[in-house]
Structure formats: C-alpha cells, structure tokens
Amino acid sequence: MAGPQLRTGAELHALVERLYPICRSITGDGVRQTLDIIGEHIPLDRHEVPTGTAVLDWTIPQEWNIRDAYVAAPSGERVIDFQELNLHVVGYSVPVRQRMPLSELREHLHTLPDQPSWVPYRTSYYAPAWGFCLAQEKLGALPDGDYDVVIDSTLADGSLTYAEHVVPGRVTDEVIVSCHVCHPSLANDNLAGIAVAVSLAQQLASAQPHYTYRFLFMPGTIGSITWLARNASRIDKVRHGLVLACAGDPGSLTYKKSRRDDAEIDRVMQHVLRSREHRVVDFSPYGYDERQFCSPGFNLGVGSLTRTPYAGYPEYHTSADNPGFVSPAAMEDTLGALLEAFAVLDRNRRYVNLSPYGEPQLGKRGLYDSLGGRSDAKQAQMAMLWVLNLSDGSHSLLDIAERAGLPFDIVDVAARALHDAGLVKE
C-alpha cells in the first residue's frame, strides 16, 4: 500500500525535520528507527547481516547502541548532554562511567576552534575509543575540578541493517539509487538525500518506468560493500546508478562522473544539468559510496549527485548542518533534476532508419503537417532529419540530441513520430 506522498519541498523538509533527532550510526537501533519512518512512505525489504560476517575484504562489526551520555561539572550540572544533541558523543564510543579531572577529560574532548559555537561530528567505528564533542566556547568556560563522565552504550554482537525498495520497470535491467543512513543529526549529509530519494521512488512508480529502479538505504562504506558482496552474482543487472547525498544545501548542483568517465549516466546527467546552474567533476576514489560501486572489480556506471560536495561547505559534519541549513527549494531542485535525468535515461533508445537510401519524403506521410502551429516547428523538423540521418543502430537519441544541439525531448518526440510513420524501428 502506498504511503504518504512527498511532492513539495515543504513535505521533503518535514521528513528531514522528523528524522533529524535520531542517533544513527553504521549499525544499531537508530538505523532501524530511520528505516521504520522511511517505510511509512515506501515499502522496504530489510536485511540484517550478523556481526562477524565477511563482506569482501571487510567484516561486519559489532552493533552499537546508546541510551544516554553526559559530562557533569563539579557542581553536578550536565555541561555536555547527549539528550540535547546526539553529536555530543563520538560515534561508537565504548561504555564509560568515571570521575576524572578536567585535565584528563580534555584528552577526550573535540571542538572546532575556527567555528567556536559549533559542535563537530566525530566517530571511531573500528578502534575502541570514547569521546565527547562540544563547542569551543563552552570548553573554554569549563571550570577546573573533577567531572563525572557517563556513556551508557553497548557494543555487542548484533547485525548491520540496510533496506531496499524496488520500483518495477518494463525490463529487469536496473538503475540503483543509493543514500547513506549512518549519520546522526546532520540534515544535509544525508537526511535531505533520503527525503529526495523517497519522493523520487514514489514518483517513478507513478510513471511506470522502462528500467527497474532499486533504491538502497545503507550505512556508508560498509553498507555498500555489504550490498555488493551479497549481490555480486547479479551485479550484471545494474546498468546505471547514482549515489545521492547533500541534496538540500544552497549550493548549485554538482555531478561527479563515474570511473568509466563516459558511462551513459554521466552523459545523461551532463545533458540535463546544462539548463541548471551546476558543475561537473571527474571521478576520484574518495567521497561517498560511488567509490565502492566504481571499484575496479565492479566498475559500474555509477556517478554521484550532490549540491555542494562533501567537505565543501563550512557546516559539513557539524551541528550547523541542521534543518535550518537545508531548504525546501533546494531539495525540490535536486528532485527535479533527477526526475528529468531518469526520464531521459528511460527513453534513450537506438533506432534504425528503414529508408536509409536518400531522404524519405516526410510530407506525403503527414509529418510536416503535424508540425503546423508548433512554436518549435523548425527545431522539430531538424530533429526528424537528424534522427533519420543518425539512426543506424549505433547512435542513441542522446547521441543525436548532443550532436544536433537540440533538446532531448524534441528528438524523442521526432523519433516516436518517425516510428509511428514506419520510417524507423528500435
């Protein structure tokens, strides 16, 4: 059964606000709670992968959960409180219950001296450690004395949780859309991406797409590695893909190309983004999960779409990445670009001209008459001529649109008209 639809920027932003307070990590109940909320909007297939499971060169770690954490000053006042902001605790901190002087406590405190009012986000996933994060201005005001330090957490055998949502297409070839669900209270990185992905899945389902679209909601790095390990035997089904992150900040759209550099998704995204303020960057093996999908053994045609890329804005991985930092308009713009891109991807066919010797007479087939009154009649006529000339089975409609300098939609309409007139076939 379809859940509540997310179409407007305000609805996307409301989901970000609802998810924001949850303490997420690469494992644990915060991820499950997040997937519960996503599952109210789209049906999910959830997977639990036990601690100790080998996934490619990695191993599923112990599961981390946290109930409370604080630092109490000599007066008894909580000066750092997990209940106020979950970024205050270093992710995956081991349990602690100690009393110690400020001089010893300082070794476990993290701040941002250049942004003295912001709290940083820190983790220690694969090395036992503990710590707290706080604003530099608060650290400077702490009095000397003994402090009570409590982290009520557990590290125990459990599982890693991820989920999939599939939008069936007319063919079983797949497009994957991946977002990470491991960050705690960080609105742009990556709650905005999650909200956009949910809406995208809902709208693609209504469009009855050509490709099958598989949405992946997973913890970063270890999640995509786990998915690839568990799906290696069917990876040839994946034709295209996108990693979606940082989808709601005020910056312009940024597309990072796949390792292949000229995969079809790379060309489609560049074509679509020309009508928007944007930039395109080359692939590098650092960033989000595109680096796992594009590792040399898999080498999938998977790019990454963000607004401002990771670490490219001061608020990145800090308490300033809150719901006020992301805007409904920016999320709507990201969603619009994705819908347009996937519409191009879905319709990008190759045709063969069935009358390739000389130019066929279009007038006697009523094709010129069909253009009467169109404001873009000249473009539409040129599109027909270009489609006829380049429909040799090796040029796609996107190839034709790019070479002709015409909008993809006009070339697609021309190809359909020529197909209906019996002049080309797929």
Side-chain angles (χ1 to χ4, degrees), residues 12-151:
L12 296 172
H13 197 269
L15 180 56
V16 169
E17 290 182 311
R18 186 176 174 199
L19 293 171
Y20 181 76
I22 300 170
C23 184
R24 284 163 289 268
S25 189
I26 56 172
T27 62
D29 290 335
V31 173
R32 297 184 187 100
Q33 186 180 352
T34 299
L35 296 177
D36 286 344
I37 294 172
I38 295 171
E40 295 175 13
H41 298 275
I42 53 176
L44 295 176
D45 290 324
R46 283 164 63 153
H47 306 270
E48 299 281 353
V49 186
T51 296
T53 302
V55 285
L56 304 181
D57 195 45
W58 294 57
T59 303
I60 300 297
Q62 288 190 311
E63 182 177 325
W64 183 69
N65 285 293
I66 183 168
R67 287 157 292 279
D68 195 12
Y70 63 87
V71 173
S75 65
E77 175 194 2
R78 288 193 180 194
V79 291
I80 309 173
D81 191 352
F82 169 80
Q83 300 300 334
E84 290 181 355
L85 178 69
N86 55 47
L87 298 182
H88 277 313
V89 176
V90 171
Y92 255 65
S93 284
V94 299
V96 177
R97 191 172 293 272
Q98 296 183 37
R99 188 171 179 84
M100 63 184 65
L102 180 60
S103 58
E104 182 180 343
L105 175 61
R106 280 180 179 273
E107 298 175 9
H108 298 274
L109 301 182
H110 306 271
T111 66
L112 295 167
D114 294 339
Q115 300 286 355
S117 64
W118 296 355
V119 177
Y121 165 55
R122 298 284 186 269
T123 64
S124 183
Y125 294 141
Y126 301 107
W130 65 269
F132 287 85
C133 300
L134 71 161
Q136 175 68 36
E137 59 190 19
K138 179 166 248 185
L139 175 61
L142 293 181
D144 285 332
D146 290 339
Y147 286 73
D148 289 317
V149 180
V150 174
I151 299 178

Side-chain angles (χ1 to χ4, degrees), residues 343 347-349 351 383 387 397 401 407-418:
R347 293 177 291 157
N348 190 28
R349 306 277 187 275
Y351 288 86
V387 170
L397 294 184
F408 179 90
D409 283 347
I410 289 180
V411 173
D412 178 52
V413 169
R416 290 169 190 260
L418 291 168

